[in-house]
Amino acid sequence: MERDELNNWRKLAAELEASGETESKFYERAKMIALGYPDPLTLADSADSTLDEG
């Protein structure tokens, strides 16, 4: 992930926290990415594709 993209996720997570909007999957995704974890949606896509390969 590019540095600018990561910074955008960090800003988004911080803005959602500041506004109290922390109960959504979108916030959870932003927070995980902001903390340096892989994008949960990318992991889900990878898991789905490996199941189809069997």
Side-chain angles (χ1 to χ4, degrees):
M1 178 175 298
E2 298 290 326
R3 183 182 46 158
D4 290 340
E5 185 179 1
L6 178 57
N7 286 337
N8 286 338
W9 281 111
R10 288 177 175 157
K11 288 177 192 175
L12 178 61
E15 289 172 8
L16 290 169
E17 286 175 1
S19 66
E21 297 178 43
T22 58
E23 299 296 321
S24 70
K25 294 293 181 186
F26 192 64
Y27 167 75
E28 290 177 22
R29 180 181 181 205
K31 187 65 175 184
M32 292 294 290
I33 294 169
L35 291 173
Y37 293 99
D39 183 343
L41 290 183
T42 303
L43 292 176
D45 290 343
S46 297
D48 290 343
S49 66
T50 56
L51 293 175
D52 294 338
E53 291 174 5

